[in-house]
Amino acid sequence: MVIVTTATEAEALSLANQLVAEYLAACVQILPIQSIYRWQGAIHCDPEWQLLIKTRFALFDQVRDRLLALHSYEVPEIIALPLIAGSSAYLNWVKEQTQEPSGG
């Protein structure tokens, strides 16, 4: 699972649609969140939208590169968390809905 945040719901929807359309994600869930963080020496508190991207581990580099190309943030949060277990039916569905990773 890859986690990304955006400043607007519109950007979150755009990124999610692009990743699913390109078979880089099987599903993207979008949640409103509140973030408190330090940026350029100041503490900020802003609403954001969090994307939970369900994809194959082997596609992380492609997902990351696509997000970096499309994202509006100078330094977007793009992190991957391992799924250590899940129902085989769901995990198979994720695999079926995503492309085979491209080599190199």
Side-chain angles (χ1 to χ4, degrees):
M1 183 169 55
V2 178
I3 298 175
V4 177
T5 55
T6 65
T8 67
E9 183 180 19
E11 183 175 20
L13 290 166
S14 176
L15 292 174
N17 278 301
Q18 196 73 32
L19 293 173
V20 172
E22 294 178 14
Y23 295 93
L24 292 173
C27 173
V28 181
Q29 296 169 313
I30 300 171
L31 308 162
I33 61 169
Q34 188 73 24
S35 294
I36 300 171
Y37 58 96
R38 186 180 311 277
W39 178 249
Q40 298 179 339
I43 295 177
H44 298 264
C45 180
D46 295 310
E48 289 189 296
W49 295 86
Q50 185 175 66
L51 288 74
L52 304 177
I53 302 165
K54 313 307 175 36
T55 189
R56 301 176 190 216
F57 175 73
L59 287 173
F60 176 77
D61 289 346
Q62 289 176 257
V63 170
R64 179 204 58 220
D65 293 348
R66 195 67 178 120
L67 288 167
L68 287 171
L70 298 170
H71 207 289
S72 66
Y73 284 177
E74 183 179 337
V75 181
E77 171 192 27
I78 302 172
I79 59 174
L81 301 177
L83 295 175
I84 57 171
S87 75
S88 59
Y90 181 79
L91 297 176
N92 285 335
W93 176 80
V94 169
K95 186 176 179 181
E96 291 168 1
Q97 299 307 310
T98 54
Q99 67 184 355
E100 289 290 329
S102 62

